[in-house]
Amino acid sequence: MNGLKTSALAIGVALGCASFGTEAAAQDCTTKIGAVLPTSVDWGKPIAATAQYAVDIANETGGVAGCQIEMVLRDTQVDPKVGVDAAKALVDLDGVQLLLGAVSSGVSMPILTSVTVPAGVMQMSCCSSSTAFTRLAEEGKTNGLFFRTFATSGVQAAVGAMVARDAGYESIAVFYKNDDWGQDIGGLIAKDFEALGIEVTAQIAINDAQASYRAEVTEALKGNPQAIYMALYPDEGTQVVREWISLGGTQNMIAANALKSDEFKENVGMEFLGSFIGTDTASPRTDSASAFVDAYTARFDGPPSGPGLPNSFDATMIALLAMHAAGEGATGTDIAAKVGAITDPNGTPVTADATGFAQAKEVLDGGGTVSYQGATGNVQFDANGDVSAPAVTWVFGADGIEEQKYISLTEVNDFMNSLQ
């Protein structure tokens, strides 16, 4: 466990190892779960490693429903076709009933509609934020099989509008990735800007893997905006910003969390990012969230600074506890039906460590429910599998990504209501 010994959470892991090592050693069965995550990109590797970290904690307590867990990981390459093929292989060949992922909404959506829902497999995403999932659930088309520990795009869109308002920008051009996620957040933030009286001079769709985005940038420059907003991933974001700066565009930039990447910072250059402000959802300021940071830092020799890491941890822990509650041989539908027993606000509070995982299993085995207290706080899902969350703004600093401002859940909700 790489010397996990300094935090309360880590102590729990150590206790879990001591208490449950005999049970784990006696096991002779393994249950596979699937994970479809973008490990070929720099910000995707830590998300997958964090999911594996949660699996390791579960296994240290004796596993799930009497068996050790093997997480079979496949790379999506942030590509819908690759992601669907990976998910099909995990479901059809490996027989998984639980699938973790994906990250991009544009990858998660086709996996949900063409793989997991038809197969009756539960899908738990750490990081997909499109409101299209909410609408699909409201229409009864997810069959209750989809959950996500990341708040919807509406939160980041609202916070991006808040940043523009506070900066005094009167006109903004919006660049968005031409997929489910980008179209969703791009449309939401344009409405939020307009609700604040900020002119949206252009809404420019950015497609994957073009040789150049000069035509798109030239079109956006025609409106002479005071700032730009970007809902892009690092590859396209880097190229758009380079073109934008080279053609004389402003350095006033606001961006969604997909650009929370050292790769993006290094490829663009800090000299061009002095007026850049990013947004992200955030973990609440709770003891459980702080304990996760301490334990993660000890495990990985550094704090969780990339996007989606607390969400990945909680998604995996909750899904595994639901699998335990569902019992040996559970189907995806069985597992999904037990998520409420893990996130019951009236259940027994359990911590997100080996001791808490073991305690949760004991309570669940006795017919009780638990209230999981994790890296993103006291997780609770609504009827559509959605969660709410606080938010942060962040900037690129010389030593990495630096939090600029924390915005509480109450502040986020009040501001979103004011935009209606």
Side-chain angles (χ1 to χ4, degrees):
M1 293 299 292
N2 294 348
L4 273 177
K5 56 182 180 294
T6 58
S7 70
L9 192 158
I11 291 170
V13 172
L15 291 173
C17 290
S19 301
F20 301 98
T22 301
E23 179 184 348
Q27 292 172 338
D28 58 1
C29 61
T30 298
T31 301
K32 291 181 179 181
I33 65 171
V36 280
L37 299 166
T39 53
S40 54
V41 295
D42 71 327
W43 47 268
K45 294 183 182 72
I47 291 173
T50 303
Q52 183 61 56
Y53 174 31
V55 170
D56 292 344
I57 289 175
N59 285 336
E60 286 161 5
T61 73
V64 170
C67 294
Q68 292 283 285
I69 296 297
E70 177 188 350
M71 187 179 83
V72 184
L73 174 64
R74 291 181 180 268
D75 182 17
T76 67
Q77 301 177 33
V78 201
D79 183 299
K81 184 179 184 305
V82 174
V84 167
D85 288 346
K88 283 183 177 178
L90 289 166
V91 171
D92 296 342
L93 302 180
D94 293 294
V96 304
Q97 290 297 316
L98 169 64
L99 190 71
L100 303 174
V103 173
S104 165
S105 296
V107 179
S108 291
M109 182 60 79
I111 289 175
L112 180 68
T113 56
S114 67
V115 182
T116 53
V117 168
V121 171
M122 177 177 145
Q123 185 174 341
M124 174 75 86
S125 173
C126 67
C127 312
S128 295
S129 60
S130 172
T131 56
F133 294 100
T134 304
R135 293 191 293 273
L136 204 68
E138 289 172 342
E139 294 167 0
K141 296 179 180 177
T142 65
N143 293 345
L145 292 168
F146 183 75
F147 300 85
R148 50 180 165 177
T149 53
F150 198 89
T152 70
S153 301
V155 172
Q156 280 202 73
V159 174
M162 183 187 294
V163 170
R165 179 202 64 182
D166 293 347
Y169 299 145
E170 296 179 355
S171 60
I172 293 184
V174 175
F175 290 99
Y176 63 90
K177 186 175 175 65
N178 198 15
D179 65 2
D180 287 339
W181 168 73
Q183 292 164 12
D184 185 54
I185 193 171
L188 289 169
I189 198 163
K191 291 178 181 177
D192 289 347
F193 286 146
E194 290 167 352
L196 294 172
I198 299 171
E199 180 188 2
V200 178
T201 60
Q203 292 177 259
I204 308 294
I206 298 297
N207 296 311
D208 280 332
Q210 288 184 196
S212 170
Y213 296 103
R214 182 165 288 254
E216 289 83 352
V217 168
T218 299
E219 180 65 25
L221 279 166
K222 291 178 181 178
N224 194 31
Q226 288 182 306
I228 59 173
Y229 176 84
M230 294 178 287
L232 302 172
Y233 288 105
D235 284 349
E236 293 80 19
T238 297
Q239 294 181 64
V240 166
V241 171
R242 284 176 172 174
E243 295 277 15
W244 181 259
I245 296 298
S246 70
L247 293 174
T250 174
Q251 292 187 27
N252 297 329
M253 305 175 197
I254 306 170
N257 70 330
L259 290 183
K260 200 175 189 181
S261 160
D262 289 336
E263 176 188 8
F264 172 76
K265 179 186 76 170
E266 292 165 4
N267 289 340
V268 170
M270 274 295 295
E271 65 269 30
F272 302 114
L273 297 171
S275 297
F276 177 105
I277 299 177
T279 66
D280 200 355
T281 56
S283 298
R285 298 317 195 233
T286 62
D287 290 343
S288 65
S290 298
F292 168 73
V293 172
D294 291 342
Y296 183 99
T297 301
R299 168 70 181 253
F300 295 103
D301 298 321
S305 60
L309 303 183
N311 312 82
S312 178
F313 184 81
D314 284 351
T316 309
M317 291 285 275
I318 292 168
L320 291 176
L321 284 172
M323 176 179 277
H324 180 84
E328 183 180 357
T331 66
T333 300
D334 296 333
I335 299 167
K338 291 296 184 181
V339 170
I342 314 306
T343 56
D344 180 1
N346 298 314
T348 301
V350 295
T351 52
D353 52 27
T355 298
F357 200 93
Q359 181 190 8
K361 291 196 295 183
E362 183 177 352
V363 172
L364 294 166
D365 290 344
T369 63
V370 298
S371 175
Y372 172 81
Q373 313 286 313
T376 60
N378 180 7
V379 180
Q380 294 181 37
F381 298 99
D382 67 13
N384 300 314
D386 291 344
V387 295
S388 296
V392 292
T393 60
W394 51 273
V395 296
F396 290 115
D399 297 323
I401 294 162
E402 301 173 358
E403 182 179 310
Q404 183 188 55
K405 180 182 179 182
Y406 174 76
I407 307 163
S408 71
L409 180 58
T410 299
E411 291 176 286
V412 169
N413 288 338
D414 287 347
F415 183 71
M416 291 179 72
N417 289 335
S418 76
L419 295 172
Q420 302 307 312

